[in-house]
Amino acid sequence: MPSLSEAFRAHPVHLHHSHLDFGSAKEVPDTHAWPPLDEHLSGDKFDVESVPVIDLGDPNVVTHIGHACETWGVFHITNHGISKQLLSDVESQGRHLFSLPTQQKLKAARQPDGVAGYGLVRISSFFSKLMWSEGFTIVGSPLEHARQLWPCDYIQFCNVMEEYEKEMKKLSGRLMLLILESLGLKKEDVEWAGPAAKFEDTCAAIQLNWYPACPDPTRAMGLAEHTDSPLITILHQSSTSGLQVFRERGHRWITVPPLSGSLVVNVGDLLHILSNARFHSVLHRAVVNRTRQRLSVAYLWGPPAHIEISPSPQLVTPDRPRLYRAVSLSEYLSIKAKHFNNALPFIRRNPLV
C-alpha cells in the first residue's frame, strides 16, 4: 500500500538557504520581505464578522457544525474534552523546542524527501520569499528526533506529544461523526471508519509552528496562504493572534483570534471532496506580530493513506453532479506537491487522470 512517506519521497523539497537568526534581526532582510500588508492585518485588531464558536455539548451541535462548514470552513470548538493542562504542556514543550540554539535544532532537520523533523514548511518551495517562522513536524513517534534534540532529556517531550496525539485522534473521530451527520450521512457510509466507527486506522501529523516577533510585520509573512490536505485540522494557538482565513464574501482576510480553552477546526481538501464541495476547504495564513511571539500546534487528520476519498453518492444529485474523481490521501499529496493551491481544480478538471 502507498504511504505518506512514499508520497513525500516522490516529491523531495530542496530549500538551500541559511537559517535566519530571528531573535537578533533588526529589520526584515530581502530574503523574507513580502509585498506590504496593511497594518491592521498584522496586529491584534479583530473583525466585526467573527468565526463561529460551537459548544460540542450543545444539543444542536450537528446543525451548528454543518452551517459553519458550509458558510465558513472553519470554527472554534469549546467543551471538547482536551484538558487545559495538556494544552499548556504541549505549548510549554513547543516553546522549549524552538528556544534551542539553531545548530541544535538542525540536528533534527527534516530531510528533503521526508515529512517529520525540524525546518521550514514544505510549501516554502512555491514562494520566492521565505517565511517568518520555524516548524517541527511529528508523524508517529517523536522519539528519534527528540533524542537528537535532547540526547539525555527527551522523555518528557515524547510523553506530552504522544498523549496529545492520542487525545487529538479521539477528538478527530468524534468531530468526523458529527460532520458526517451534518451531511446526512451515517457512520456505515464510511467503510474505513472501522469497527464501532472508532477511526483506528488513520493518518495524522502534529505540526508545531513558531512565529518570532518581527521588526516589521507589514513586510513579513508567518505562513503563506494555503489549504490543508487532509479531512480536518484541529489547531491550538497561543494567546497571540496571527491566524487569518479568507472570506469569499467580502473578499477579505478575517482574523481568527485565540479564545481561551477553545480549539480551531479547519475543513481540509479531502472533506471538500467528500462533501462534493458543499463544505469548503478554507484558505488560511498566519501573520506575525511586532512585539509578541506566537506558537501554534496543528493536528492534521485524514483517512488511511491508500483509501480513496470521493464525493459521497448521497450528495450527488442531478442538480449537483459529482464534481471530483476519487483520490487517496497519498495520491493527493503527490498532486499537491506539484500543483499546490491548484490541486483541487486539477482533480476537478482531470476526472480520468
Short mmCIF file of all heavy atoms in Angstrom, two decimals, residues 11-50:
data_model
loop_
_atom_site.label_atom_id
_atom_site.label_comp_id
_atom_site.label_asym_id
_atom_site.label_seq_id
_atom_site.Cartn_x
_atom_site.Cartn_y
_atom_site.Cartn_z
N HIS A 11 8.43 13.41 -4.08
CA HIS A 11 8.49 14.84 -4.38
C HIS A 11 9.33 15.56 -3.32
O HIS A 11 8.82 16.31 -2.49
CB HIS A 11 7.08 15.44 -4.44
CG HIS A 11 6.23 14.83 -5.49
ND1 HIS A 11 6.31 15.20 -6.82
CD2 HIS A 11 5.31 13.84 -5.43
CE1 HIS A 11 5.46 14.47 -7.53
NE2 HIS A 11 4.85 13.64 -6.71
N PRO A 12 10.65 15.32 -3.36
CA PRO A 12 11.53 15.97 -2.37
C PRO A 12 11.53 17.48 -2.55
O PRO A 12 11.33 18.00 -3.66
CB PRO A 12 12.91 15.38 -2.67
CG PRO A 12 12.83 14.93 -4.10
CD PRO A 12 11.41 14.50 -4.31
N VAL A 13 11.72 18.20 -1.44
CA VAL A 13 11.76 19.66 -1.46
C VAL A 13 13.15 20.10 -0.99
O VAL A 13 13.53 19.84 0.15
CB VAL A 13 10.67 20.26 -0.54
CG1 VAL A 13 10.82 21.78 -0.47
CG2 VAL A 13 9.29 19.88 -1.05
N HIS A 14 13.90 20.75 -1.87
CA HIS A 14 15.24 21.20 -1.55
C HIS A 14 15.20 22.71 -1.31
O HIS A 14 14.92 23.49 -2.23
CB HIS A 14 16.21 20.86 -2.68
CG HIS A 14 16.33 19.39 -2.95
ND1 HIS A 14 17.16 18.56 -2.22
CD2 HIS A 14 15.68 18.59 -3.85
CE1 HIS A 14 17.05 17.32 -2.67
NE2 HIS A 14 16.15 17.31 -3.65
N LEU A 15 15.48 23.12 -0.09
CA LEU A 15 15.49 24.53 0.26
C LEU A 15 16.92 24.90 0.66
O LEU A 15 17.37 24.57 1.75
CB LEU A 15 14.52 24.80 1.42
CG LEU A 15 13.05 24.51 1.10
CD1 LEU A 15 12.21 24.57 2.38
CD2 LEU A 15 12.52 25.49 0.07
N HIS A 16 17.63 25.55 -0.23
CA HIS A 16 19.03 25.89 0.00
C HIS A 16 19.14 27.32 0.50
O HIS A 16 19.05 28.28 -0.26
CB HIS A 16 19.84 25.72 -1.29
CG HIS A 16 19.81 24.32 -1.82
ND1 HIS A 16 20.42 23.27 -1.20
CD2 HIS A 16 19.20 23.80 -2.93
CE1 HIS A 16 20.23 22.15 -1.89
NE2 HIS A 16 19.50 22.45 -2.94
N HIS A 17 19.29 27.47 1.79
CA HIS A 17 19.47 28.80 2.37
C HIS A 17 19.93 28.64 3.81
O HIS A 17 19.78 27.58 4.42
CB HIS A 17 18.16 29.60 2.33
CG HIS A 17 17.06 28.93 3.08
ND1 HIS A 17 16.91 29.03 4.43
CD2 HIS A 17 16.06 28.11 2.65
CE1 HIS A 17 15.86 28.32 4.82
NE2 HIS A 17 15.34 27.75 3.77
N SER A 18 20.53 29.70 4.33
CA SER A 18 20.93 29.68 5.73
C SER A 18 19.73 30.07 6.59
O SER A 18 18.85 30.82 6.16
CB SER A 18 22.07 30.67 5.96
OG SER A 18 21.66 31.98 5.58
N HIS A 19 19.68 29.56 7.82
CA HIS A 19 18.58 29.85 8.72
C HIS A 19 18.79 31.21 9.36
O HIS A 19 19.81 31.48 9.98
CB HIS A 19 18.47 28.75 9.78
CG HIS A 19 17.88 27.48 9.25
ND1 HIS A 19 16.59 27.09 9.49
CD2 HIS A 19 18.42 26.52 8.45
CE1 HIS A 19 16.34 25.94 8.89
NE2 HIS A 19 17.44 25.58 8.25
N LEU A 20 17.81 32.08 9.23
CA LEU A 20 17.88 33.43 9.79
C LEU A 20 17.77 33.37 11.31
O LEU A 20 16.94 32.64 11.86
CB LEU A 20 16.74 34.28 9.22
CG LEU A 20 16.61 35.70 9.76
CD1 LEU A 20 17.82 36.54 9.36
CD2 LEU A 20 15.33 36.34 9.24
N ASP A 21 18.63 34.14 11.99
CA ASP A 21 18.52 34.27 13.44
C ASP A 21 17.45 35.34 13.72
O ASP A 21 17.74 36.53 13.76
CB ASP A 21 19.87 34.69 14.02
CG ASP A 21 19.84 34.79 15.54
OD1 ASP A 21 18.76 34.54 16.13
OD2 ASP A 21 20.87 35.15 16.13
N PHE A 22 16.20 34.87 13.87
CA PHE A 22 15.09 35.81 14.04
C PHE A 22 15.27 36.69 15.27
O PHE A 22 14.91 37.87 15.26
CB PHE A 22 13.77 35.04 14.16
CG PHE A 22 13.36 34.34 12.91
CD1 PHE A 22 13.39 32.94 12.83
CD2 PHE A 22 12.92 35.04 11.80
CE1 PHE A 22 13.00 32.28 11.67
CE2 PHE A 22 12.53 34.39 10.64
CZ PHE A 22 12.57 33.01 10.57
N GLY A 23 15.86 36.13 16.34
CA GLY A 23 15.97 36.88 17.58
C GLY A 23 16.83 38.11 17.49
O GLY A 23 16.60 39.09 18.21
N SER A 24 17.83 38.09 16.62
CA SER A 24 18.75 39.23 16.52
C SER A 24 18.45 40.12 15.32
O SER A 24 19.13 41.14 15.13
CB SER A 24 20.19 38.72 16.42
OG SER A 24 20.37 37.94 15.25
N ALA A 25 17.44 39.78 14.52
CA ALA A 25 17.14 40.57 13.32
C ALA A 25 16.56 41.94 13.69
O ALA A 25 15.59 42.03 14.44
CB ALA A 25 16.15 39.82 12.43
N LYS A 26 17.18 43.00 13.19
CA LYS A 26 16.72 44.37 13.46
C LYS A 26 15.81 44.89 12.34
O LYS A 26 15.14 45.90 12.50
CB LYS A 26 17.92 45.31 13.61
CG LYS A 26 18.89 44.89 14.70
CD LYS A 26 18.21 44.82 16.07
CE LYS A 26 19.21 44.44 17.16
NZ LYS A 26 18.55 44.26 18.48
N GLU A 27 15.84 44.20 11.22
CA GLU A 27 14.98 44.54 10.09
C GLU A 27 14.67 43.28 9.31
O GLU A 27 15.30 42.24 9.52
CB GLU A 27 15.64 45.59 9.20
CG GLU A 27 16.95 45.13 8.60
CD GLU A 27 17.62 46.20 7.75
OE1 GLU A 27 17.30 47.39 7.91
OE2 GLU A 27 18.47 45.83 6.92
N VAL A 28 13.70 43.37 8.43
CA VAL A 28 13.34 42.22 7.60
C VAL A 28 14.27 42.18 6.40
O VAL A 28 14.25 43.11 5.57
CB VAL A 28 11.87 42.32 7.15
CG1 VAL A 28 11.53 41.15 6.21
CG2 VAL A 28 10.94 42.32 8.34
N PRO A 29 15.10 41.13 6.27
CA PRO A 29 16.00 41.06 5.11
C PRO A 29 15.22 40.81 3.82
O PRO A 29 14.08 40.35 3.85
CB PRO A 29 16.92 39.88 5.45
CG PRO A 29 16.10 39.03 6.36
CD PRO A 29 15.25 39.97 7.16
N ASP A 30 15.86 41.09 2.71
CA ASP A 30 15.19 40.93 1.42
C ASP A 30 14.71 39.51 1.19
O ASP A 30 13.67 39.30 0.56
CB ASP A 30 16.15 41.35 0.28
CG ASP A 30 15.47 41.26 -1.08
OD1 ASP A 30 14.54 42.04 -1.32
OD2 ASP A 30 15.87 40.38 -1.88
N THR A 31 15.42 38.53 1.73
CA THR A 31 15.03 37.13 1.55
C THR A 31 13.66 36.84 2.17
O THR A 31 12.99 35.89 1.77
CB THR A 31 16.06 36.19 2.19
OG1 THR A 31 16.27 36.59 3.55
CG2 THR A 31 17.37 36.21 1.43
N HIS A 32 13.25 37.66 3.15
CA HIS A 32 12.00 37.44 3.88
C HIS A 32 11.00 38.58 3.66
O HIS A 32 9.98 38.63 4.34
CB HIS A 32 12.27 37.31 5.37
CG HIS A 32 13.01 36.06 5.75
ND1 HIS A 32 14.33 35.84 5.43
CD2 HIS A 32 12.59 34.95 6.44
CE1 HIS A 32 14.71 34.66 5.90
NE2 HIS A 32 13.68 34.10 6.51
N ALA A 33 11.29 39.49 2.73
CA ALA A 33 10.44 40.68 2.53
C ALA A 33 9.35 40.40 1.51
O ALA A 33 9.63 40.22 0.32
CB ALA A 33 11.30 41.86 2.09
N TRP A 34 8.10 40.39 1.97
CA TRP A 34 6.93 40.16 1.13
C TRP A 34 6.30 41.49 0.75
O TRP A 34 6.60 42.52 1.36
CB TRP A 34 5.91 39.30 1.88
CG TRP A 34 6.35 37.88 2.09
CD1 TRP A 34 7.44 37.46 2.80
CD2 TRP A 34 5.75 36.70 1.57
NE1 TRP A 34 7.54 36.09 2.77
CE2 TRP A 34 6.51 35.60 2.02
CE3 TRP A 34 4.62 36.47 0.78
CZ2 TRP A 34 6.19 34.29 1.70
CZ3 TRP A 34 4.30 35.15 0.46
CH2 TRP A 34 5.08 34.08 0.91
N PRO A 35 5.44 41.50 -0.27
CA PRO A 35 4.70 42.73 -0.57
C PRO A 35 4.01 43.23 0.69
O PRO A 35 3.53 42.44 1.50
CB PRO A 35 3.69 42.28 -1.63
CG PRO A 35 4.34 41.11 -2.29
CD PRO A 35 5.10 40.40 -1.20
N PRO A 36 3.95 44.55 0.88
CA PRO A 36 3.43 45.11 2.14
C PRO A 36 2.01 44.65 2.47
O PRO A 36 1.14 44.56 1.59
CB PRO A 36 3.46 46.62 1.89
CG PRO A 36 4.50 46.81 0.83
CD PRO A 36 4.41 45.60 -0.05
N LEU A 37 1.81 44.33 3.74
CA LEU A 37 0.48 44.03 4.26
C LEU A 37 -0.07 45.28 4.92
O LEU A 37 0.69 46.12 5.41
CB LEU A 37 0.54 42.92 5.32
CG LEU A 37 0.98 41.52 4.88
CD1 LEU A 37 1.15 40.63 6.10
CD2 LEU A 37 -0.04 40.92 3.95
N ASP A 38 -1.40 45.41 4.94
CA ASP A 38 -1.99 46.51 5.69
C ASP A 38 -1.64 46.35 7.16
O ASP A 38 -1.62 45.24 7.69
CB ASP A 38 -3.52 46.51 5.53
CG ASP A 38 -3.93 46.88 4.11
OD1 ASP A 38 -3.13 47.53 3.42
OD2 ASP A 38 -5.04 46.49 3.71
N GLU A 39 -1.41 47.47 7.85
CA GLU A 39 -1.01 47.42 9.25
C GLU A 39 -2.02 46.64 10.10
O GLU A 39 -1.65 45.88 10.98
CB GLU A 39 -0.86 48.84 9.80
CG GLU A 39 -0.40 48.91 11.24
CD GLU A 39 1.03 48.41 11.44
OE1 GLU A 39 1.84 48.59 10.52
OE2 GLU A 39 1.32 47.86 12.51
N HIS A 40 -3.32 46.81 9.79
CA HIS A 40 -4.33 46.16 10.64
C HIS A 40 -4.34 44.65 10.47
O HIS A 40 -4.86 43.93 11.31
CB HIS A 40 -5.73 46.72 10.34
CG HIS A 40 -6.35 46.18 9.09
ND1 HIS A 40 -6.05 46.66 7.85
CD2 HIS A 40 -7.25 45.18 8.91
CE1 HIS A 40 -6.75 46.00 6.94
NE2 HIS A 40 -7.49 45.09 7.54
N LEU A 41 -3.73 44.17 9.39
CA LEU A 41 -3.71 42.72 9.16
C LEU A 41 -2.64 42.02 9.99
O LEU A 41 -2.63 40.81 10.11
CB LEU A 41 -3.48 42.42 7.68
CG LEU A 41 -4.64 42.76 6.75
CD1 LEU A 41 -4.27 42.40 5.32
CD2 LEU A 41 -5.91 42.03 7.16
N SER A 42 -1.73 42.76 10.58
CA SER A 42 -0.64 42.12 11.32
C SER A 42 -0.66 42.46 12.80
O SER A 42 0.28 42.18 13.51
CB SER A 42 0.71 42.55 10.72
OG SER A 42 0.80 43.96 10.67
N GLY A 43 -1.75 43.02 13.28
CA GLY A 43 -1.85 43.37 14.68
C GLY A 43 -2.88 42.53 15.40
O GLY A 43 -3.17 41.41 15.01
N ASP A 44 -3.45 43.08 16.47
CA ASP A 44 -4.43 42.36 17.28
C ASP A 44 -5.81 43.00 17.18
O ASP A 44 -6.61 42.90 18.10
CB ASP A 44 -3.98 42.33 18.75
CG ASP A 44 -2.91 41.27 18.98
OD1 ASP A 44 -2.95 40.25 18.29
OD2 ASP A 44 -2.06 41.48 19.85
N LYS A 45 -6.10 43.66 16.07
CA LYS A 45 -7.43 44.23 15.88
C LYS A 45 -8.30 43.19 15.20
O LYS A 45 -7.97 42.69 14.14
CB LYS A 45 -7.34 45.50 15.02
CG LYS A 45 -6.47 46.59 15.64
CD LYS A 45 -6.36 47.79 14.72
CE LYS A 45 -5.46 48.87 15.32
NZ LYS A 45 -5.29 50.02 14.41
N PHE A 46 -9.44 42.88 15.81
CA PHE A 46 -10.27 41.80 15.31
C PHE A 46 -11.44 42.34 14.52
O PHE A 46 -11.91 43.46 14.73
CB PHE A 46 -10.78 40.95 16.49
CG PHE A 46 -9.66 40.41 17.34
CD1 PHE A 46 -9.79 40.37 18.72
CD2 PHE A 46 -8.49 39.95 16.76
CE1 PHE A 46 -8.76 39.87 19.51
CE2 PHE A 46 -7.46 39.46 17.53
CZ PHE A 46 -7.59 39.42 18.90
N ASP A 47 -11.94 41.53 13.60
CA ASP A 47 -13.00 41.94 12.72
C ASP A 47 -14.36 41.86 13.41
O ASP A 47 -14.57 41.08 14.34
CB ASP A 47 -13.00 41.04 11.48
CG ASP A 47 -11.70 41.17 10.70
OD1 ASP A 47 -10.77 40.41 11.00
OD2 ASP A 47 -11.64 42.02 9.81
N VAL A 48 -15.29 42.67 12.90
CA VAL A 48 -16.66 42.64 13.41
C VAL A 48 -17.27 41.27 13.10
O VAL A 48 -17.93 40.65 13.93
CB VAL A 48 -17.50 43.77 12.80
CG1 VAL A 48 -18.96 43.63 13.22
CG2 VAL A 48 -16.95 45.12 13.22
N GLU A 49 -17.04 40.77 11.88
CA GLU A 49 -17.51 39.45 11.49
C GLU A 49 -16.58 38.40 12.10
O GLU A 49 -15.36 38.49 11.94
CB GLU A 49 -17.51 39.33 9.97
CG GLU A 49 -18.20 38.09 9.45
CD GLU A 49 -18.24 38.05 7.93
OE1 GLU A 49 -17.37 38.67 7.30
OE2 GLU A 49 -19.12 37.39 7.39
N SER A 50 -17.13 37.45 12.83
CA SER A 50 -16.27 36.51 13.56
C SER A 50 -16.59 35.06 13.23
O SER A 50 -17.73 34.71 12.88
CB SER A 50 -16.40 36.74 15.07
OG SER A 50 -17.73 36.58 15.49
#
